[in-house]
Amino acid sequence: MRPSVQAPAAVVMVRPHHFTVNTQTAQDNAFQAQMDVQGSDLSRRAYDEHTAAMAELERRGVRVHVFEGSDAATPDCVFPNNWFSTHAGGHVAIYPMKAANRRLERRADVIELLKAKYRVQDVIDYSGLEPDRLYLEGTGAMVLDHIDRVAYAVASDRTNPIALERFCTHFNFEPMVFPAADSRGVNIYHTNVLMCIGTDYALLGADMITDHARREEVITRLQDSGRDVIALTEAQIAKFAGNAIELQGRDGRLLALSQTAYDALDPSQIALIAQSATLVPLSIPTIEMAGGSVRCTIAGIHLAPRR
């Protein structure tokens, strides 16, 4: 399999030291567990799960830059993909976050490492939009097709259309916005729990797109890009089957997803993905209590390394 611009070979991950379920994000994240957020061993379990997941990715040949999430004020620091993204040509974006404590996750040492190890031409910081409540939570709010330059985005409070338009103008993406909700009418909070775009396939909870005409437009656009569209049920979405990311490993492309997500896929779906990428299930059930899964824990690096 040839390397693909859709599948980064290096990632940033933040290992949690003070993991808990963030009460500031619970209002509009239906994927968060309803539980006692003071569970005494949550933090240790999350730390161990994350360490094992990183080790498996490294074993597969993915370059992992690990940072330690040592600030107790940032319970969601394990999900760095929401506050920054990187792009071919040397571009980095920093995003405006809805929850006040999530804004504390932005850290200069991550940006400095990117500048030191990779060719960074510019950093565009959208965090100044926060006082105006214009939020765009990175590659949680957007699922980016790096090949066809489309930014798929579920309409929500975490995906402001003005912020999205600014990003797409600066980074040369076409915005494709659509409404999505579960069968109870609860809106989907982040696009990356609903869909995943690989090089040759896309995972999509299509039936949860509530505008039927827009649903067909999204499916057609993905199919026109040459991808097989793998339909996920609402039950599979609830098990984080859409929250996956394609990476470049030593021996070819990988699809990193959680064990929970893998177990929710049926054999025909697994077989279709396996034609293009090796599935790599990672067990992170404690981290998933916070409402995100493997995709959320990984910030892909789409930058050229310095030699």
Side-chain angles (χ1 to χ4, degrees), residues 212-245:
H212 289 201
R214 196 60 167 161
R215 177 193 304 166
E216 293 306 312
E217 290 174 357
V218 170
I219 293 171
T220 298
R221 188 61 183 272
L222 290 167
Q223 290 173 333
D224 287 348
S225 73
R227 294 179 170 91
D228 292 314
V229 177
I230 301 171
L232 301 177
T233 66
E234 181 175 333
Q236 289 176 319
I237 292 296
K239 296 292 187 179
F240 296 104
N243 196 244
I245 181 171

Side-chain angles (χ1 to χ4, degrees), residues 218-290:
V218 170
I219 293 171
T220 298
R221 188 61 183 272
L222 290 167
Q223 290 173 333
D224 287 348
S225 73
R227 294 179 170 91
D228 292 314
V229 177
I230 301 171
L232 301 177
T233 66
E234 181 175 333
Q236 289 176 319
I237 292 296
K239 296 292 187 179
F240 296 104
N243 196 244
I245 181 171
E246 189 177 77
L247 303 172
Q248 180 66 39
R250 183 183 303 106
D251 300 319
R253 293 193 295 271
L254 314 170
L255 182 68
L257 74 171
S258 73
Q259 187 68 54
T260 303
Y262 181 87
D263 291 343
L265 296 175
D266 67 43
S268 63
Q269 293 169 325
I270 292 171
L272 188 54
I273 296 166
Q275 293 176 13
S276 178
T278 300
L279 290 88
V280 180
L282 306 170
S283 182
I284 58 166
T286 305
I287 292 171
E288 287 177 324
M289 292 178 181

Side-chain angles (χ1 to χ4, degrees), residues 72-237:
T74 58
D76 277 343
C77 67
V78 70
F79 303 136
N81 79 306
N82 296 136
W83 72 262
F84 82 97
S85 66
T86 65
H87 303 269
H91 311 294
V92 177
I94 298 175
Y95 295 104
M97 309 283 282
K98 182 179 178 182
N101 64 1
R102 295 220 60 194
R103 300 169 191 175
L104 303 175
E105 296 170 26
R106 295 189 290 254
R107 39 195 298 178
D109 56 350
V110 172
I111 303 303
E112 290 308 310
L113 175 132
L114 294 175
K115 291 177 178 178
K117 299 291 186 181
Y118 300 89
R119 298 192 180 278
V120 174
Q121 300 298 322
D122 54 29
V123 178
I124 300 180
D125 187 349
Y126 299 103
S127 63
L129 296 174
E130 286 167 351
D132 296 315
R133 299 181 180 179
L134 305 179
Y135 310 124
L136 183 66
E137 295 190 341
T139 53
M142 304 175 289
V143 171
L144 300 176
D145 181 345
H146 292 272
I147 299 171
D148 274 27
R149 312 302 297 175
V150 181
Y152 294 89
V154 170
S156 78
D157 289 344
R158 305 188 190 201
T159 309
N160 179 271
I162 295 173
L164 177 64
E165 188 67 37
R166 290 191 187 181
F167 166 83
C168 288
T169 298
H170 289 146
F171 288 86
N172 191 32
F173 282 88
E174 174 191 348
M176 193 160 196
V177 183
F178 49 91
D182 65 21
S183 57
R184 300 169 296 166
V186 177
N187 291 333
I188 299 299
Y189 80 107
H190 270 166
T191 313
N192 75 358
V193 297
L194 189 74
M195 65 185 299
C196 162
I197 298 176
T199 300
D200 300 320
Y201 58 88
L203 307 174
L204 176 65
D207 289 347
M208 300 176 76
I209 300 176
T210 53
D211 182 317
H212 289 201
R214 196 60 167 161
R215 177 193 304 166
E216 293 306 312
E217 290 174 357
V218 170
I219 293 171
T220 298
R221 188 61 183 272
L222 290 167
Q223 290 173 333
D224 287 348
S225 73
R227 294 179 170 91
D228 292 314
V229 177
I230 301 171
L232 301 177
T233 66
E234 181 175 333
Q236 289 176 319
I237 292 296

